[in-house]
C-alpha cells in the first residue's frame, strides 16, 4: 500500500533489510529473528483483548528512523502485529513511508504507534498538522521507547508525547526495579499490584515532562536501583517509565521499555502495551487525571485496592494449582510474603488466605504444601493452635510445619505441638511430633 512499507514475515528465520537512506546510517542493516524468538513472543502474548473493540480497529506501526536505529524494531513490530491478530483488538499496518501521515491516508487508522522511531521523521508542515489534527480530533498515539527521541524541533510533538529523551544512565545490560505509581490503574493491571525488576535501557526525560500534565503509571524505584550511574541529571528522583494522558479529544500512551529484544516476549510488558493500545484507540476508558492532582490518600487507596485484588487472584490460582501448572501466582505470593513480613495487617490477610487454601478439600497436595511453606513466613499465625494444629496433624504437611515450629522458642509452640499430638492419627506424624517435643526439651 505504501511505497516504503516494511513487512516482517514469520519463518524459521526472518531477515529484514532496511535502506540506509531511511535510517541515517551507512550501509544496510540486516536483522534476523529466529523461529525460537517468534515462539517466545507467541507464548507471551495476551490471550484476549482487555476490552472488546467497539468496532474493527486499525493500528499504524511507524518504523522510520532518522537517527539512532534500534535493532529491536523488527521484533517489536512483529510482536505488536501478532498481538493484534491473536487478540482481535486491532489490525496492524506497518510502514516507514511519511506519506502515511497525509490526512486521507491517516484517516483509516484509530491510533499511530511510533515504534522506536528517532530523529526528525518529517519536516513537512502539512504532515505535522495532519498528525496533530488526528490526535486532537479523537484518535490515539502509542510511543515505544525511543518515541521520545523524535522531533526535537517540533515542540508540539514533545508536548503530545509527554517529554523528550534526556539520556539513559541505565544501560541495556542494567537490571532496575520499577514501582507502580498508580497500582490500581487499569493500564497497570498486568503487574498485579506489584513492582517488578527488568533488564532494559532506562530513559530520563526533560521538559515538557511533568506530572502536572501526565498520569504517571510506573517509574524507577530509586530505593532499589543503583543511583550512582553517570549521566543522572534529574535531582528530584522522578524517572518515569510509562504514562498516559489526554491530548485534545485524543489519547496518548507511552512506555520507555523496548530497547532489548526480550522486552517483546515479556508477558507483563506485552499486556501493558496491549492495554495502552486499547486505551489509545478508545476501547479502554481510563482516568487520565494528571498525577500531580491526585492526593496522597488517593494513591495509597489505589495501592491497597490493587493489592487486595491481586492477592485474591493469586490465592485463587494457588487453590487450583497442581504440579506442572503455570506457577506464576506462586512466585507472586512468595514475593508478596517477603514484602509484607513486617506489615501486620497485610501479613494477617495473607496468612488467612493461605490457611483457607490449606483447608480446602479440593486443593491439591502441591497447593496445600506450598501454602504451608508460605505460612511459615508469618509465624505469628502459626502459633495459634487453631491454625497450626491441623497442619501438624496432616501427613502431607506435618514435616514442613514441624521443622519450622520446633525451632521457635515461643512457649505457645509447645502447647501447639501437644495439641497436634493428641489429634494426630498417623503413626509417623505422631513420631515426628514426639521428636519435635524432645528437641525442644
Amino acid at each position: 500500500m505504501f511505497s516504503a512499507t516494511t513487512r516482517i514475515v514469520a519463518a524459521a528465520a526472518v531477515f529484514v533489510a532496511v535502506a540506509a537512506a531511511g535510517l541515517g546510517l551507512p550501509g544496510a542493516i540486516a536483522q534476523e529473528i529466529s523461529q525460537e524468538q517468534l515462539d517466545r513472543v507467541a507464548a507471551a502474548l495476551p490471550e484476549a483483548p482487555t476490552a472488546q473493540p467497539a468496532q474493527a480497529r486499525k493500528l499504524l506501526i511507524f518504523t522510520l528512523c532518522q537517527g539512532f536505529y534500534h535493532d529491536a524494531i523488527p521484533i517489536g513490530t512483529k510482536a505488536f502485529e501478532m498481538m493484534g491478530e491473536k487478540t482481535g483488538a486491532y489490525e496492524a499496518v506497518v510502514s516507514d513511508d511519511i506519506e502515511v501521515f497525509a490526512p486521507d491516508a491517516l484517516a483509516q487508522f484509530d491510533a499511530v504507534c511510533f515504534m522506536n522511531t528517532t530523529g526528525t521523521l518529517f519536516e513537512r508542515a502539512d504532515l505535522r498538522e495532519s498528525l496533530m489534527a488526528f490526535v486532537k480530533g479523537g484518535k490515539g498515539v502509542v510511543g515505544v521507547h525511543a518515541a521520545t527521541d523524535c522531533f526535537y524541533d517540533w515542540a508540539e510533538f514533545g508536548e503530545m508525547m509527554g517529554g523528550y529523551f534526556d539520556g539513559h544512565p541505565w544501560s541495556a545490560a542494567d537490571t532496575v526495579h520499577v514501582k507502580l505509581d498508580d497500582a490500581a490503574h487499569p493500564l497497570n493491571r498486568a503487574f498485579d499490584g506489584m513492582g517488578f525488576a527488568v533488564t532494559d535501557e532506562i530513559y530520563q526525560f526533560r521538559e515538557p515532562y511533568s506530572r502536572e500534565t501526565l498520569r504517571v503509571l510506573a517509574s524507577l524505584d530509586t530505593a532499589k536501583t543503583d543511583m550512582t550511574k553517570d549521566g543522572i541529571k534529574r535531582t528530584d528522583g522522578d524517572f518515569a517509565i510509562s504514562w498516559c494522558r489526554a491530548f485534545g479529544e485524543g489519547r496518548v500512551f507511552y512506555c520507555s521499555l523496548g530497547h532489548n529484544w526480550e522486552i517483546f516476549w515479556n508477558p507483563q510488558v506485552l499486556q501493558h502495551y496491549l492495554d495502552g493500545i486499547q486505551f489509545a484507540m478508545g476501547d479502554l476508558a481510563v482516568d487520565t487525571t494528571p498525577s500531580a492532582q491526585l492526593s496522597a490518600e488517593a494513591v495509597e487507596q489505589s495501592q491497597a485496592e490493587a493489592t487486595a485484588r491481586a492477592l485474591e487472584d493469586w490465592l485463587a490460582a494457588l487453590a487450583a494449582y497442581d504440579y506442572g501448572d503455570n506457577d506464576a501466582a506462586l512466585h507472586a505470593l512468595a514475593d508478596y510474603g517477603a514484602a509484607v513480613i513486617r506489615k501486620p495487617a497485610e501479613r494477617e490477610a495473607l496468612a488467612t488466605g493461605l490457611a483457607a487454601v490449606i483447608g480446602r478439600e479440593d486443593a491439591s497436595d502441591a497447593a496445600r504444601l506450598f501454602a504451608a511453606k508460605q505460612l511459615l513466613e508469618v509465624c505469628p499465625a502459626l502459633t495459634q493452635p487453631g491454625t497450626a494444629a491441623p497442619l501438624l496433624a496432616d501427613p502431607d504437611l506435618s514435616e514442613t510445619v514441624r521443622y519450622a515450629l520446633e525451632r521457635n522458642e515461643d512457649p505457645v509452640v509447645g502447647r501447639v505441638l501437644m495439641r497436634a499430638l493428641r489429634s494426630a492419627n498417623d503413626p509417623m506424624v505422631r513420631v515426628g511430633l514426639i521428636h519435635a517435643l524432645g528437641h525442644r526439651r
Side-chain angles (χ1 to χ4, degrees):
M1 178 177 179
F2 304 112
S3 61
T5 299
T6 301
R7 294 291 182 188
I8 304 173
V9 182
V14 180
F15 294 90
V16 181
V18 186
L23 300 176
L25 297 173
I29 295 176
Q31 293 302 321
E32 177 183 349
I33 305 175
S34 70
Q35 186 61 51
E36 179 185 1
Q37 290 164 333
L38 288 172
D39 290 344
R40 290 181 180 180
V41 172
L45 291 172
E47 292 294 329
T50 298
Q52 287 302 316
Q55 60 192 54
R57 299 295 192 184
K58 188 175 287 189
L59 175 70
L60 169 63
I61 303 178
F62 194 64
T63 60
L64 180 64
C65 290
Q66 299 289 9
F68 180 85
Y69 177 75
H70 283 78
D71 64 10
I73 288 175
I75 190 69
T77 299
K78 188 61 188 174
F80 279 26
E81 285 186 295
M82 293 168 65
M83 188 159 64
E85 183 177 351
K86 179 177 181 180
T87 64
Y90 57 86
E91 173 193 353
V93 174
V94 185
S95 178
D96 60 4
D97 184 352
I98 66 172
E99 292 299 332
V100 74
F101 289 99
D104 290 345
L106 196 57
Q108 67 180 293
F109 298 105
D110 297 283
V112 176
C113 172
F114 289 92
M115 176 62 74
N116 264 320
T117 49
T118 56
T120 297
L121 303 177
F122 47 82
E123 297 181 355
R124 284 171 44 185
D126 62 322
L127 299 184
R128 294 185 176 191
E129 291 173 3
S130 175
L131 176 59
M132 285 300 128
F134 173 84
V135 182
K136 290 182 177 180
K139 299 295 184 74
V141 163
V142 175
V144 176
H145 192 56
T148 50
D149 193 18
C150 295
F151 291 118
Y152 292 100
D153 61 340
W154 185 17
E156 195 172 18
F157 181 89
E159 179 188 355
M160 175 188 72
M161 196 58 70
Y164 282 119
F165 165 77
D166 196 22
H168 50 80
W170 300 272
S171 74
D174 287 322
T175 297
V176 303
H177 290 266
V178 179
K179 65 180 180 180
L180 303 183
D181 292 68
D182 194 351
H185 196 280
L187 298 187
N188 272 337
R189 79 182 190 97
F191 306 116
D192 290 327
M194 298 284 287
F196 59 97
V198 67
T199 301
D200 201 24
E201 185 179 86
I202 303 300
Y203 283 3
Q204 64 185 339
F205 301 98
R206 64 174 175 83
E207 67 282 348
Y209 171 78
S210 173
R211 290 179 181 246
E212 296 288 345
T213 57
L214 307 175
R215 183 64 166 264
V216 176
L217 303 169
S219 61
L220 197 67
D221 189 339
T222 58
K224 299 179 180 178
T225 297
D226 182 1
M227 299 303 294
T228 65
K229 294 287 186 179
D230 292 336
I232 296 178
K233 300 176 184 178
R234 297 193 69 95
T235 59
D236 57 3
D238 187 3
F239 300 91
I241 301 291
S242 68
W243 60 72
C244 65
R245 69 163 304 169
F247 192 70
E249 297 299 317
R251 298 156 299 278
V252 178
F253 171 77
Y254 171 79
C255 179
S256 69
L257 299 178
H259 179 96
N260 290 347
W261 289 39
E262 293 84 355
I263 292 298
F264 296 103
W265 56 73
N266 180 310
Q268 289 182 305
V269 176
L270 286 178
Q271 182 69 63
H272 190 48
Y273 269 119
L274 175 61
D275 291 342
I277 290 169
Q278 288 212 277
F279 156 69
M281 288 182 162
D283 287 323
L284 183 57
V286 306
D287 186 1
T288 57
T289 303
S291 295
Q293 297 180 24
L294 302 176
S295 67
E297 291 78 10
V299 173
E300 185 177 347
Q301 180 65 23
S302 171
Q303 179 66 60
E305 292 174 358
T307 300
R309 287 199 299 270
L311 181 58
E312 184 177 342
D313 291 343
W314 296 332
L315 289 168
L318 172 60
Y321 173 79
D322 205 347
Y323 292 118
D325 293 345
N326 186 319
D327 61 356
L330 279 61
H331 289 289
L333 282 167
D335 291 342
Y336 181 69
V340 302
I341 194 65
R342 292 182 176 84
K343 299 178 180 179
E346 291 87 344
R347 186 180 62 196
E348 184 62 29
L350 173 60
T352 299
L354 292 170
V357 171
I358 293 167
R360 288 183 56 155
E361 294 183 359
D362 60 342
S364 69
D365 288 345
R368 298 174 71 232
L369 184 59
F370 176 86
K373 288 180 177 179
Q374 289 305 303
L375 200 52
L376 297 178
E377 300 296 327
V378 284
C379 279
L382 281 179
T383 61
Q384 301 301 315
T387 301
L391 307 183
L392 288 164
D394 189 311
D396 296 322
L397 306 177
S398 182
E399 185 176 11
T400 297
V401 179
R402 174 168 51 81
Y403 279 159
L405 288 183
E406 70 182 21
R407 292 166 175 79
N408 188 326
E409 297 181 358
D410 189 330
V412 173
V413 172
R415 295 195 292 273
V416 171
L417 291 169
M418 287 296 296
R419 176 172 174 171
L421 178 60
R422 288 194 294 270
S423 62
N425 296 318
D426 186 280
M428 294 307 297
V429 169
R430 293 175 63 83
V431 168
L433 292 169
I434 292 170
H435 175 81
L437 287 164
H439 177 82
R440 294 171 57 83
R441 298 183 183 273

